[in-house]
Amino acid sequence: IISWNYDSQIEIAYSEYNDQNILNIGTKSDSYYQDWQIIKLNGIATFRDQFDLVRKREEIALKLHEADNDLVSSYTAKQLVYQAEFVSLYNEYVKDNEHTSNLSFAFDNSYPSDALFRRSQKIISETNALVIIGYTFPFFNREIDREILRTIIPDTKIYIQDLYPERIKQSLRAVLPHIKENNIILLKEVDQFYLPPEL
């Protein structure tokens, strides 16, 4: 799994099924290559000061809720508002030297990330079916997305699961122009995660 998400949903879900609470997850702060099974390209939206964690989560949730209630009509504009609010909160918080954030961004080169990108490329190079769920290939990540996805096998089937898969397909084509048109399958059913027949 290669994830651009900041949340901890994978870890929370896994903890329901495994009492050891240990996952083989690689993040941008990892500088030594390992065979991670889950890659978190943006780190995790948590803070190492656990006493302050709940307050900061509530603050971020409130900011995003306020942005959602603004008169922002288009999907793209709303995503940009979310990103701007999150980056602003992140930058404000990490200035405080008493706390350290587990969050980083894929386009932020302040963390050692060669090992993480090499592992991501290896996973992609061995993939014959790629399912894209909830990722829009935003412009600010395009360079990194190209670097990770350049190792993809040309005949890989790509499934895009989203309410508006056509939008994501356009952004994907900007990152991977050599992928064959008939290898991209659009899926609008989002009631459950899609499991490709190649599994």
Side-chain angles (χ1 to χ4, degrees), residues 139-156:
F139 181 78
F140 50 81
N141 270 353
R142 191 159 290 175
E143 183 180 336
I144 285 142
D145 292 342
R146 281 190 184 122
E147 186 65 22
I148 291 171
L149 295 173
R150 69 181 173 84
T151 60
I152 199 165
I153 303 165
D155 289 328
T156 298

Side-chain angles (χ1 to χ4, degrees), residues 1 17 19 25 27 34 38 60 81 83 97 106 115 123 126 133 135 138 150 152-153 156 160 179 196-198:
I1 297 173
Y17 297 96
D19 56 5
I25 298 177
T27 67
Q34 298 177 42
I38 299 171
I60 289 170
V81 168
Q83 181 71 19
N97 293 329
I123 290 171
E126 297 172 351
I133 302 171
Y135 185 59
R150 69 181 173 84
I152 199 165
I153 303 165
T156 298
I160 300 174
I179 290 295
E198 289 83 0

Side-chain angles (χ1 to χ4, degrees), residues 151-164:
T151 60
I152 199 165
I153 303 165
D155 289 328
T156 298
K157 291 283 187 188
I158 299 177
Y159 300 89
I160 300 174
Q161 185 179 23
D162 193 88
L163 287 173
Y164 306 101

Side-chain angles (χ1 to χ4, degrees), residues 3-167:
S3 174
W4 281 255
N5 286 355
Y6 314 111
D7 61 43
S8 304
Q9 295 306 308
I10 291 172
E11 294 90 328
I12 293 168
Y14 181 79
S15 69
E16 296 291 322
Y17 297 96
N18 188 303
D19 56 5
Q20 295 178 4
N21 294 326
I22 298 172
L23 274 176
N24 189 12
I25 298 177
T27 67
K28 282 186 70 180
S29 59
D30 293 312
S31 56
Y32 298 102
Y33 184 92
Q34 298 177 42
D35 288 335
W36 298 294
Q37 299 303 308
I38 299 171
I39 304 290
K40 302 279 287 254
L41 290 172
N42 291 310
I44 304 170
T46 60
F47 299 95
R48 292 176 196 164
D49 179 348
Q50 293 302 312
F51 294 104
D52 201 37
L53 177 58
V54 173
R55 184 179 67 79
K56 291 311 290 186
R57 277 184 179 163
E58 289 173 355
E59 184 180 339
I60 289 170
L62 179 63
K63 285 282 188 182
L64 294 182
H65 179 71
E66 288 170 357
D68 197 39
N69 287 335
D70 286 344
L71 297 176
V72 182
S73 57
S74 78
Y75 174 83
T76 304
K78 193 168 287 190
Q79 292 302 107
L80 289 174
V81 168
Y82 285 172
Q83 181 71 19
E85 291 290 348
F86 209 90
V87 169
S88 173
L89 279 169
Y90 167 69
N91 288 337
E92 177 185 326
Y93 194 70
V94 296
K95 286 178 186 173
D96 182 350
N97 293 329
E98 295 179 11
H99 307 285
T100 305
S101 173
N102 292 317
L103 176 65
S104 63
F105 296 100
F107 56 82
D108 176 6
N109 293 321
S110 63
Y111 285 81
S113 56
D114 288 347
L116 197 70
F117 289 147
R118 280 192 289 118
R119 178 60 182 155
S120 300
Q121 289 174 328
K122 182 164 173 39
I123 290 171
I124 290 295
S125 71
E126 297 172 351
T127 298
N128 63 358
L130 175 64
V131 181
I132 300 166
I133 302 171
Y135 185 59
T136 59
F137 293 93
F139 181 78
F140 50 81
N141 270 353
R142 191 159 290 175
E143 183 180 336
I144 285 142
D145 292 342
R146 281 190 184 122
E147 186 65 22
I148 291 171
L149 295 173
R150 69 181 173 84
T151 60
I152 199 165
I153 303 165
D155 289 328
T156 298
K157 291 283 187 188
I158 299 177
Y159 300 89
I160 300 174
Q161 185 179 23
D162 193 88
L163 287 173
Y164 306 101
E166 298 86 2
R167 294 178 184 176

